Coordinates of all heavy atoms in Angstrom, one line a residue:
M15 N -43.2 20.8 69.9 CA -44.6 20.6 70.3 C -44.7 19.2 71.0 O -43.9 18.3 70.6 CB -45.6 20.7 69.1 CG -45.6 22.0 68.5 SD -46.2 23.3 69.6 CE -46.2 24.7 68.5
T16 N -45.6 19.1 71.9 CA -45.7 17.8 72.6 C -46.4 16.8 71.8 O -47.1 17.1 70.8 CB -46.6 18.0 73.9 OG1 -47.9 18.4 73.5 CG2 -46.0 19.1 74.8
E17 N -46.3 15.5 72.2 CA -47.0 14.4 71.5 C -48.5 14.6 71.5 O -49.2 14.3 70.6 CB -46.5 13.1 72.1 CG -47.1 11.9 71.3 CD -46.7 10.6 71.9 OE1 -45.7 10.6 72.7 OE2 -47.3 9.5 71.6
E18 N -48.9 15.0 72.7 CA -50.4 15.3 72.9 C -50.9 16.3 71.9 O -52.0 16.2 71.4 CB -50.6 15.7 74.3 CG -52.1 16.0 74.6 CD -52.3 16.6 76.0 OE1 -51.3 16.8 76.8 OE2 -53.5 16.9 76.4
F19 N -50.1 17.4 71.7 CA -50.5 18.4 70.8 C -50.6 17.9 69.4 O -51.5 18.2 68.6 CB -49.4 19.5 70.9 CG -49.8 20.8 70.0 CD1 -50.7 21.7 70.5 CD2 -49.2 21.0 68.8 CE1 -51.0 22.8 69.8 CE2 -49.5 22.1 68.0 CZ -50.4 23.0 68.5
Q20 N -49.6 17.1 68.9 CA -49.6 16.5 67.6 C -50.9 15.6 67.4 O -51.5 15.7 66.3 CB -48.4 15.7 67.3 CG -47.1 16.5 67.3 CD -47.0 17.4 66.1 OE1 -47.8 17.3 65.1 NE2 -46.2 18.5 66.2
K21 N -51.2 14.8 68.4 CA -52.4 13.9 68.3 C -53.7 14.8 68.2 O -54.6 14.5 67.4 CB -52.5 13.0 69.5 CG -51.4 11.9 69.5 CD -51.6 11.0 70.7 CE -50.6 9.9 70.6 NZ -50.7 8.9 71.8
L22 N -53.7 15.9 68.9 CA -54.8 16.8 68.9 C -55.0 17.4 67.5 O -56.1 17.5 67.0 CB -54.6 17.9 70.0 CG -55.9 18.6 70.4 CD1 -57.0 17.7 70.9 CD2 -55.5 19.6 71.5
L23 N -53.9 17.8 66.9 CA -53.9 18.4 65.6 C -54.5 17.4 64.6 O -55.3 17.7 63.7 CB -52.5 18.8 65.1 CG -52.0 20.1 65.8 CD1 -50.6 20.4 65.2 CD2 -52.9 21.3 65.5
E24 N -54.1 16.1 64.7 CA -54.6 15.0 63.8 C -56.1 14.8 64.0 O -56.8 14.7 63.0 CB -53.9 13.7 64.1 CG -52.4 13.8 63.7 CD -51.6 12.5 64.1 OE1 -52.3 11.5 64.6 OE2 -50.4 12.4 64.0
Q25 N -56.6 14.9 65.3 CA -58.0 14.8 65.5 C -58.8 15.9 64.9 O -59.8 15.7 64.3 CB -58.3 14.7 67.0 CG -57.8 13.4 67.7 CD -58.1 13.5 69.2 OE1 -57.3 13.9 70.0 NE2 -59.3 13.1 69.6
I26 N -58.2 17.1 65.1 CA -58.9 18.3 64.5 C -59.0 18.2 63.0 O -60.0 18.5 62.4 CB -58.1 19.6 64.9 CG1 -58.3 19.8 66.4 CG2 -58.6 20.8 64.1 CD1 -57.4 21.0 66.9
G27 N -57.9 17.7 62.4 CA -57.9 17.5 60.9 C -59.0 16.5 60.5 O -59.7 16.8 59.5
V28 N -59.1 15.4 61.2 CA -60.1 14.4 60.8 C -61.5 15.0 61.0 O -62.4 14.8 60.1 CB -60.0 13.2 61.7 CG1 -61.2 12.2 61.5 CG2 -58.7 12.5 61.4
L79 N -58.7 22.9 73.3 CA -57.7 22.2 74.1 C -56.3 22.5 73.6 O -55.3 22.1 74.3 CB -58.0 20.7 73.9 CG -59.3 20.2 74.5 CD1 -59.5 18.7 74.2 CD2 -59.4 20.4 76.0
L80 N -56.1 23.1 72.5 CA -54.8 23.3 71.9 C -53.8 24.1 72.9 O -52.7 23.6 73.0 CB -54.9 24.0 70.6 CG -55.3 23.2 69.4 CD1 -55.5 24.1 68.2 CD2 -54.2 22.2 69.1
A83 N -52.4 21.8 75.6 CA -51.6 20.7 75.1 C -50.3 21.1 74.4 O -49.4 20.3 74.2 CB -52.4 19.9 74.1
S84 N -50.2 22.4 74.0 CA -49.0 22.8 73.3 C -47.8 23.0 74.1 O -46.7 22.9 73.6 CB -49.3 24.2 72.6 OG -49.5 25.2 73.5
G85 N -48.0 23.4 75.4 CA -46.8 23.7 76.2 C -46.4 25.1 76.1 O -45.4 25.5 76.7

Side-chain angles (χ1 to χ4, degrees):
M15 298 296 179
T16 65
E17 183 178 346
E18 179 185 359
F19 185 81
Q20 292 294 340
K21 289 182 178 180
L22 198 54
L23 287 179
E24 292 174 7
Q25 288 179 270
I26 290 172
V28 170
L79 296 175
L80 279 175
S84 69

